[in-house]
Amino acid sequence: MSFSFLNFLSTDIGIDLGTANSLIYVKGKGITVNEPSIIALEDSSDRVIAVGNAARQMMGRTHQEIHTIRPLKDGVIADFEATEIMIREMIKKANINRMMIGRIVVCVPSGVTEVEKRAVRDAAERSGARETMLVAEAMAAAIGVGLDIHEPVGNMVVDIGGGTSEIAVISLSGIVHHNSIRIAGDEMNQSIIQYFKKNYNLLIGEKTAEEIKCEVGSAFALEEELETTVKGRDLIDGIPKTITIGSSEIRDALDEAIMAIVDAVKLSLERTPPELASDILDRGIILTGGGALLRRLDERLRHETSMAVHVAEDPLTCVVRGCGRILDEPERFEKVLLKQRRGV
Ligand code: ADP
Ligand code: MG
């Protein structure tokens, strides 16, 4: 069988290795995996018990012999081995024959080190990739949104994920300015947990905090404020308790995290070269990542920066769709691929 025939048969895939969610795009098929970046391992043997949704169900509910890991929790690869397991298992979920994998485009947070890049590349190669290409997450998000990143025009993309919020100014196929803070969706969940502890003596878990955020969370006053019920454990008498809470209280709880994101955006605007800043003024800021779904976050940023702010369509899938477009037209996007220094 000739090499070109093999190429014809092989499957190219794009992976968004997110701190909260991992997505896989299979060329010709679309997004086939979209699951939380979590694995559950058996303590004694480190055997993989569950990956993705099934592992998420186990979070906070494991017994002594099983533990769950989020390999990319804080936006860096905290656990190389766990990251490799996750890449391999997610590819299994995509249901492609390992022998038939051609190219893999993996996006990595823009600030990763050479060592982390090498680890991701090695992990992809051990999963069967014949060729691995890395792309910065913010760049993939911009491509996924459909921006023409090759133009000599400035675009600002703010991607709010689980572990990190990334701000990037992109022009002429490159990242002109980049800023990343470790305050994003996870930190918002933690703020909600702390709020209930401090104000209601109520202990709630991470999963509950996330549900509250998605149900009634907001970054700016709502026309009609919302309400939800919250179940937790009373810290004084230790008994489970239900309370009703309004969206304005949750807004207060989230304020510090949101202010940190606002400040980071302002700082990036200050540091953007003037010509590009004026482009951003014309075109507006684009929000991607799951955090972009927080109610009225766009309005809050508009209010604080006086810039136009747009929430991308389907913000949770922008990055993987960007990987997909790179796979569809690799020549066109050659310049955006991350180079690796030799010998690392
Ligand atoms: P990552 O790229 O780091 O994996 P994602 O872009 O998948 O992150 O976004 C995940 C984050 O988005 C999580 O912290 C999640 O709580 C948050 N999120 C998802 N939906 C909403 C929503 N409706 N409101 C607020 N935050 C949300
Ligand atoms: Mg992401």
Side-chain angles (χ1 to χ4, degrees):
M1 213 170 353
S2 73
F3 184 68
S4 59
F5 189 55
L6 259 180
N7 265 354
F8 174 71
L9 280 178
S10 67
T11 313
D12 294 342
I13 62 176
I15 306 180
D16 168 7
L17 207 56
T19 64
N21 298 297
S22 292
L23 292 86
I24 297 187
Y25 171 97
V26 179
K27 194 171 171 180
K29 275 195 193 160
I31 301 169
T32 59
V33 179
N34 184 354
E35 302 211 17
S37 304
I38 307 174
I39 58 174
L41 300 173
E42 189 176 62
D43 271 352
S44 53
S45 62
D46 267 355
R47 194 166 62 88
V48 183
I49 305 286
V51 177
N53 285 321
R56 184 171 197 264
Q57 292 300 325
M58 294 179 183
M59 258 179 99
R61 294 200 177 96
T62 53
H63 50 74
Q64 276 167 348
E65 276 104 54
I66 296 177
H67 62 284
T68 55
I69 305 181
R70 284 182 54 193
L72 299 150
K73 196 164 195 268
D74 295 313
V76 288
I77 299 175
D79 186 331
F80 288 114
E81 213 175 312
T83 303
E84 179 164 347
I85 293 173
M86 201 171 72
I87 293 178
R88 193 180 63 219
E89 296 295 323
M90 290 288 178
I91 292 176
K92 267 191 208 159
K93 280 181 189 280
N95 229 342
I96 9 179
N97 183 343
R98 194 171 175 275
M99 303 298 290
M100 285 297 146
I101 300 174
R103 288 191 175 124
I104 301 189
V105 172
V106 194
C107 85
V108 289
S110 314
V112 296
T113 61
E114 292 291 324
V115 175
E116 287 175 316
K117 276 193 239 166
R118 166 56 61 203
V120 170
R121 193 182 290 274
D122 286 351
E125 267 152 29
R126 276 198 284 268
S127 299
R130 218 170 300 152
E131 188 187 352
T132 308
M133 301 182 283
L134 301 184
V135 58
E137 198 171 11
M139 186 60 91
I143 295 169
V145 164
L147 297 178
D148 188 351
I149 52 129
H150 301 306
E151 271 182 275
V153 175
N155 288 293
M156 180 179 272
V157 176
V158 178
D159 181 277
I160 303 166
T164 57
S165 296
E166 304 228 0
I167 300 151
V169 176
I170 291 167
S171 172
L172 280 170
S173 322
I175 295 179
V176 180
H177 167 84
H178 168 253
N179 183 15
S180 168
I181 57 168
R182 289 192 188 171
I183 294 179
D186 292 339
E187 184 73 23
M188 293 183 200
N189 297 350
Q190 288 304 323
S191 305
I192 292 175
I193 294 174
Q194 292 307 325
Y195 185 86
F196 280 96
K197 220 186 248 176
K198 197 166 145 232
N199 297 287
Y200 291 95
N201 282 314
L202 194 74
L203 190 65
I204 60 167
E206 259 179 70
K207 210 159 158 264
T208 306
E210 171 146 337
E211 279 160 15
I212 298 169
K213 175 179 72 179
C214 295
E215 238 171 83
V216 299
S218 61
F220 204 69
L222 302 175
E223 267 169 34
E224 232 172 280
E225 294 293 343
L226 307 164
E227 243 180 36
T228 189
T229 53
V230 177
K231 280 191 215 132
R233 182 155 56 84
D234 192 299
L235 280 166
I236 297 173
D237 57 19
I239 293 171
K241 195 164 101 175
T242 305
I243 61 166
T244 303
I245 187 116
S247 45
S248 68
E249 276 186 87
I250 300 301
R251 193 157 57 244
D252 286 346
L254 296 177
D255 201 57
E256 205 175 316
I258 289 163
M259 221 37 233
I261 296 171
V262 167
D263 286 343
V265 171
K266 281 185 182 167
L267 189 73
S268 292
L269 285 169
E270 279 167 27
R271 301 216 167 138
T272 300
E275 298 295 343
L276 298 179
S278 97
D279 294 340
I280 298 165
L281 190 62
D282 292 341
R283 302 164 72 112
I285 298 169
I286 294 166
L287 297 183
T288 65
L293 291 168
L294 185 69
R295 284 180 192 78
R296 302 204 83 192
L297 179 62
D298 51 344
E299 190 55 46
R300 175 70 179 270
L301 278 165
R302 211 170 285 145
H303 182 78
E304 302 266 3
T305 62
S306 308
M307 308 284 266
V309 181
H310 314 285
V311 177
E313 209 181 309
D314 200 2
L316 282 157
T317 63
C318 292
V319 169
V320 83
R321 282 187 283 127
C323 293
R325 291 187 65 172
I326 296 172
L327 285 174
D328 290 339
E329 292 180 275
E331 303 78 28
R332 187 164 139 73
F333 291 109
E334 209 183 325
K335 277 201 217 137
V336 309
L337 300 174
L338 294 176
K339 301 276 177 298
Q340 180 114 34
R341 280 211 313 269
R342 280 174 185 281
V344 180

